Amino acid sequence: MDLTLTPKHRALRDEVDAFIAAHRDAAPRPGGGRKRPDRKALDWQALLLEHGYFARTIPREYGGFGAPHDVIELAIIADAFSRASISPGIHNQGISMLVPTLLEVGTEEQKRRWIGPTIRGEVIWCQGYSEPGSGSDLAAAQTRAAVEDGHFVINGQKIWTSSAHFADMMFLLCRTEPDKAKHAGLSYLLLPMNAPGIEVRPLRTMTGRAEFNETFFTDVRVPVDQIVMGRGDGWHVANVTLKYERMLLGDPNKLQQRLEAIRRMMEQPGADGARLLDRAEWRDRLLRLQGEVIAARNHNMRLLTETAEGVDSGLGRFIVKYHGTMLAHRLASLALDVMGSTGLLYEPQGEVAEDDPATTWQIDYMYDIGLIIGGGSSNIQKNIIGERGLGLPREPKAAVPAGRN
Amino acid sequence: MRFGLTEDQGLFGRSLRGFLADRLPLDTLRRLAESGTGFDAELWRGLGELGLHGLLVPEEHGGAGLGMLDAALAAEALGYHAAPAPFAAALVMAVQAFRSAGDAEQQRQWLPRVAAGQARIGLGFAGLAGQTGRAALRLEGGRLSGALDGLMDGGEATHFLAYLADGRAALIEAGAPGVTATLRRSVDRTRALVDLDLAGAAPVALLQSSNDPLAAARRVRDAGRVMLAADTLGAAQNMLDRAVAYANERMQFGRVIGSFQGVKYMCADMATMLEPCRAMVWYAAYAQDAVPEEAAMVASHAKAHLAEVGREVARLATEVHGGMGFTDLLGLHHQFKRITFDRQALGGPERCRHDAAVAQGWIAA
């Protein structure tokens, strides 16, 4: 354990604090990722990239800052933005899931072509994974891609496609080798959302907004080189992406941001002039969650170190999504309780404007349920933790109902 | 720049666990727990040979001069095996007390004796840490009178370090005139509590060299809280490991029960709660030596959080074992009770969280 701040680290901390003080007015509200970044968000992203506060360790030739991997530096930066409640940049599926996937298994050409525009927030990606008949059982995907004169020709349907209504590109899991076994018949394709034959139908959720979509494919043609790894490697690539998705969904910096925001609310005097932070029963609820957030952040530091040292964290990594999404929902729950009846006011602004705090918390509180279910539901996570993390046996296959196969 | 254990620390933890696994098979543990003193001379000697007595004592005083993280790894191993051995108070808090409030002469006189395993110091904090029980000591004319309940590591102690309400600490010899030490067997038979009644006892040392005795006392408290958190981490990990092993071997309905999602999910829930606690304990221990501005906050948070997680794991792991978990046959209850003890000693979670709020300036003390 060596977390000593070198003079270089202290300088970085001062530098980030000074940056935030100088530029905080230019920052969009934290959160987002559920809308296409606006001009303000894109400018802020550019500023963060220029200073190395975003994509810090991604090589320069791919559009990153090219700094060597240093967990303390990353922690210093994340901490400074959390403390100041300032947006740490755009976190969307392209940036947090596809980019690390390409860095891990993409070709040189794919890295050069896609990573830069994606981390700048210019190219928005959506994920074509779930289908009406394959949700938790992702490998059962039936969307077909047959090869014809140098193209994959895609037919089928995806569901729960977040951001598909404004995304530029999709990473798609589909069946290219129908003769091979379930897991071995899949491929991972990259395709533009404006390709002819793609139809996106918004799916309104409990938040009243359409964060998700159904996406239909009719003879959509994609050049055969728009594939990550090879034909039949889709399940492997999809799992690389899922690994990063689950880390994103359990992001402890988001938890810290929420905790800070709730503390600030509790420090404001209420209508009776009293602060909730001074009332033991409220304070203890906040403190209980703070303890859990500290554990999550310490755990994340451990995982970052293990990743940097090439150690597979196994169990330590498998728990992150389940742990983080449940904790995030409990934080949103406390926020609603703190706001009380004034927090019931709900006026979502849709794609155009920023939501007020009460609406944002209500959306988070509901959207969190979506995150608990998506990216592999909590039950799927518990299967993974139990089977791959702890070595417990798999559930035996149940008999299939009559008339099905 | 790394967040993790060194190779040496990993080795130290493993070898200590190996030693304890060897020395404390269930029948031995059951026998040692019978007395409820939390002490066994042979085990104590063995731990000394592994360097545990002087772990935190500076090298100039005959110790190994290691840090709080090393001590936390030791506490975790002791908790894992429910070892009836004085540690948190006798070998960590007492050393911390001498280092933070003892003068040079007192350190020279006492720390080598701790490192040699000759001085085993039971320690009592009472109100300063939020323990319940009597805590009314008076120091008049160099003599100590009154009562202090719930001293830790007090069974077979050679000395007692009794904290006064103002943060000063008096070292008293067990068996000296005016000292009545009553051993109270606790629900955790691997660790006793001692109630002290004093009638004009003469301290052999008064630790009062700190400019801010209460702050010095809080540092000792925090070191103790980290050790109890680490002890719970070990005990809970033991219970989880055994629950997983049992679920992988016990057959019902023609299947091992670990293949049922109901059982599997109990194990997954335990792992999900417990795994982040490891890094939390590491950091809390490390902060005691290296991050003074966060030390108090993270020590109290670690103690409180491990108490909450420990309680859940203790129940779930017992439940996974079914009726067997409830019996004495498997001995799972030793760790269960270890977790029970750790939760209340040095203040329960509500008190610890209150202290964490004070430590970060949210409210006045």
Side-chain angles (χ1 to χ4, degrees):
Chain A
M1 197 82 146
D2 178 12
L3 307 177
T4 324
L5 297 189
T6 61
K8 204 180 94 213
H9 288 128
R10 274 194 289 274
L12 175 67
R13 190 174 54 188
D14 295 345
E15 179 199 307
V16 184
D17 285 344
F19 170 87
I20 290 172
H23 297 286
R24 67 178 310 144
D25 290 344
R29 282 257 292 276
R34 298 189 288 238
K35 296 176 182 178
R36 185 159 193 115
D38 57 12
R39 193 67 255 162
K40 192 174 187 183
L42 290 173
D43 289 345
W44 181 246
Q45 188 78 352
L47 200 59
L48 296 181
L49 283 165
E50 179 194 330
H51 286 80
Y53 303 150
F54 198 92
R56 185 174 183 81
T57 57
I58 290 179
R60 281 201 172 266
E61 58 268 35
Y62 308 143
F65 191 70
H69 207 95
D70 180 332
V71 291
I72 306 297
E73 285 191 355
L74 299 180
I76 286 170
I77 294 167
D79 185 57
F81 283 89
S82 296
R83 268 188 288 117
S85 274
I86 291 289
S87 164
I90 302 168
H91 286 277
N92 58 29
Q93 296 189 322
I95 289 171
S96 305
M97 292 154 56
L98 180 72
V99 165
T101 301
L102 290 181
L103 283 168
E104 192 170 323
V105 297
T107 63
E108 185 62 24
E109 200 258 323
Q110 286 167 338
K111 292 176 197 173
R112 287 183 186 273
R113 178 164 175 197
W114 296 117
I115 292 176
T118 303
I119 60 179
R120 288 194 292 274
E122 295 159 9
V123 171
I124 305 296
W125 293 79
C126 59
Q127 178 187 45
Y129 272 21
S130 295
E131 297 179 7
S134 74
S136 289
D137 188 8
L138 182 62
Q142 289 304 317
T143 294
R144 285 281 308 274
V147 177
E148 278 173 27
D149 54 32
H151 286 74
F152 289 111
V153 181
I154 306 164
N155 282 285
Q157 182 195 346
K158 293 290 174 180
I159 196 168
W160 318 131
T161 336
S162 328
S163 322
H165 51 304
F166 59 78
D168 307 293
M169 296 287 297
M170 171 183 272
F171 46 97
L172 171 77
L173 185 67
C174 59
R175 191 158 300 281
T176 55
E177 323 300 313
D179 302 334
K180 290 199 178 163
K182 183 173 166 183
H183 295 80
L186 298 166
S187 294
Y188 188 103
L189 309 182
L190 307 178
L191 60 144
M193 288 300 286
N194 62 6
I198 297 182
E199 189 197 343
V200 174
R201 291 185 204 153
L203 203 56
R204 214 165 130 105
T205 71
M206 66 190 288
T207 68
R209 311 180 313 166
E211 291 109 342
F212 296 125
N213 302 276
E214 296 173 288
T215 310
F216 297 86
F217 301 83
T218 312
D219 294 330
V220 177
R221 296 172 68 84
V222 182
V224 284
D225 60 350
Q226 292 299 303
I227 185 170
V228 180
M229 297 188 70
R231 287 173 59 175
D233 293 331
W235 183 245
H236 174 75
V237 182
N239 273 285
V240 173
T241 302
L242 280 172
K243 173 174 77 178
Y244 293 110
E245 175 170 28
R246 289 165 184 164
M247 298 302 278
L248 162 73
L249 291 171
D251 179 16
N253 294 311
K254 178 174 102 174
L255 304 176
Q256 176 69 10
Q257 291 253 10
R258 285 193 181 185
L259 186 81
E260 289 290 322
I262 299 169
R263 181 181 58 80
R264 267 192 291 274
M265 286 198 286
M266 289 175 62
E267 278 175 348
Q268 296 302 315
D272 59 354
R275 309 185 317 160
L276 289 186
L277 200 59
D278 290 328
R279 299 174 64 127
E281 70 277 21
W282 286 97
R283 190 171 62 238
D284 195 61
R285 280 188 69 184
L286 179 65
L287 284 160
R288 225 181 137 136
L289 291 172
Q290 186 185 37
E292 299 193 40
V293 172
I294 292 171
R297 295 178 75 206
N298 291 157
H299 184 64
N300 183 55
M301 292 281 282
R302 170 188 161 194
L303 296 185
L304 286 172
T305 297
E306 289 175 355
T307 303
E309 293 177 356
V311 175
D312 179 10
S313 306
L315 176 65
R317 175 162 64 75
F318 299 144
I319 64 158
V320 168
K321 193 257 168 179
Y322 174 43
H323 187 257
T325 50
M326 294 298 286
L327 184 48
H329 186 244
R330 288 169 57 213
L331 285 159
S333 305
L334 176 57
L336 292 200
D337 293 352
V338 164
M339 289 186 296
S341 53
T342 59
L344 294 172
L345 305 178
Y346 191 68
E347 296 293 347
Q349 298 301 306
E351 302 296 323
V352 280
E354 287 183 345
D355 293 320
D356 64 84
T359 302
T360 303
W361 279 117
Q362 291 284 0
I363 290 173
D364 280 339
Y365 174 72
M366 290 184 273
Y367 198 77
D368 281 348
I369 307 281
L371 298 181
I372 285 169
I373 297 165
S377 70
S378 286
N379 280 355
I380 292 293
Q381 301 307 313
K382 286 193 264 192
N383 282 344
I384 292 171
I385 294 162
E387 290 161 18
R388 291 167 64 193
L390 298 174
L392 291 168
R394 294 177 64 94
E395 184 95 355
K397 282 196 163 58
V400 176
R404 311 246 323 245
N405 53 36
Chain B
M1 246 350 88
R2 58 193 302 277
F3 191 106
L5 304 180
T6 62
E7 220 167 288
D8 282 351
Q9 286 169 329
L11 196 65
F12 170 67
R14 278 194 300 279
S15 65
L16 185 53
R17 267 159 66 157
F19 166 84
L20 291 168
D22 190 45
R23 289 295 182 95
L24 290 174
L26 184 54
D27 51 344
T28 308
L29 180 59
R30 197 175 278 132
R31 178 172 55 77
L32 296 184
E34 205 58 43
S35 71
T37 59
F39 180 77
D40 172 65
E42 204 184 314
L43 182 63
W44 178 253
R45 233 183 346 266
L47 291 171
E49 283 159 16
L50 288 173
L52 226 59
H53 297 159
L55 197 69
L56 289 180
V57 173
E59 287 173 272
E60 55 179 308
H61 296 307
L66 293 176
M68 213 55 87
L69 178 53
D70 305 285
L73 297 173
E76 185 190 343
L78 294 167
Y80 193 93
H81 291 285
F87 185 72
L91 298 179
V92 176
M93 298 172 76
V95 173
Q96 186 79 352
F98 274 98
R99 292 179 66 187
S100 58
D103 62 32
E105 175 53 32
Q106 288 168 332
Q107 295 193 31
R108 194 163 56 241
Q109 192 183 346
W110 291 99
L111 289 178
R113 298 181 60 186
V114 172
Q118 293 156 1
R120 280 190 307 278
I121 303 175
L123 188 144
F125 249 117
L128 289 179
Q131 279 196 190
T132 50
R134 298 176 304 164
L137 293 180
R138 303 177 305 280
L139 184 66
E140 284 162 352
R143 300 276 172 164
L144 200 58
S145 298
L148 184 63
D149 284 350
L151 280 82
M152 290 164 57
D153 290 349
E156 308 282 333
T158 60
H159 297 78
F160 298 108
L161 191 60
Y163 271 83
L164 304 171
D166 62 11
R168 292 180 300 162
L171 187 69
I172 304 154
E173 220 171 317
V179 177
T180 308
T182 310
L183 182 92
R184 313 295 297 267
R185 295 201 300 171
S186 83
V187 63
D188 171 14
R189 288 289 200 260
T190 65
R191 283 173 303 172
L193 292 167
V194 160
D195 290 350
L196 213 50
D197 285 279
L198 301 174
V204 290
L206 192 59
L207 308 186
Q208 53 180 354
S209 297
S210 166
N211 295 327
D212 186 347
L214 276 174
R218 280 194 294 269
R219 280 199 295 280
V220 174
R221 174 199 72 186
D222 293 340
R225 284 181 174 171
V226 173
M227 293 308 125
L228 294 181
D231 191 272
T232 290
L233 173 66
Q237 185 67 53
N238 174 288
M239 294 189 78
L240 170 58
D241 290 350
R242 287 159 79 176
V244 169
Y246 189 80
N248 247 330
E249 125 204 336
R250 166 78 175 163
M251 301 279 293
Q252 286 290 278
F253 304 101
R255 295 158 57 175
V256 292
I257 61 169
S259 69
F260 290 108
Q261 284 184 322
V263 174
K264 186 181 294 174
Y265 287 6
M266 288 162 91
C267 295
D269 275 323
M270 286 190 269
T272 301
M273 286 184 266
L274 193 57
E275 196 57 23
C277 292
R278 190 167 302 285
M280 185 186 210
V281 166
W282 291 350
Y283 183 75
Y286 173 81
Q288 302 310 305
D289 293 328
V291 196
E293 66 276 17
E294 288 188 15
M297 194 259 282
V298 294
S300 290
H301 260 314
K303 169 77 161 65
H305 184 56
L306 266 294
E308 307 291 13
V309 170
R311 179 171 271 181
E312 284 294 300
V313 171
R315 175 179 61 80
L316 285 166
T318 306
E319 226 179 305
V320 167
H321 284 82
M324 288 300 285
F326 185 58
T327 68
D328 181 50
L329 291 168
L330 297 182
L332 198 65
H333 62 91
H334 293 294
Q335 278 77 9
F336 182 103
K337 293 166 181 170
R338 196 86 180 185
I339 292 167
T340 302
F341 183 99
D342 291 336
R343 183 178 173 107
Q344 309 303 340
L346 299 180
E350 288 76 14
R351 168 61 187 246
C352 289
R353 287 192 289 265
H354 172 84
D355 290 337
V358 172
Q360 53 194 319
W362 288 4
I363 47 165

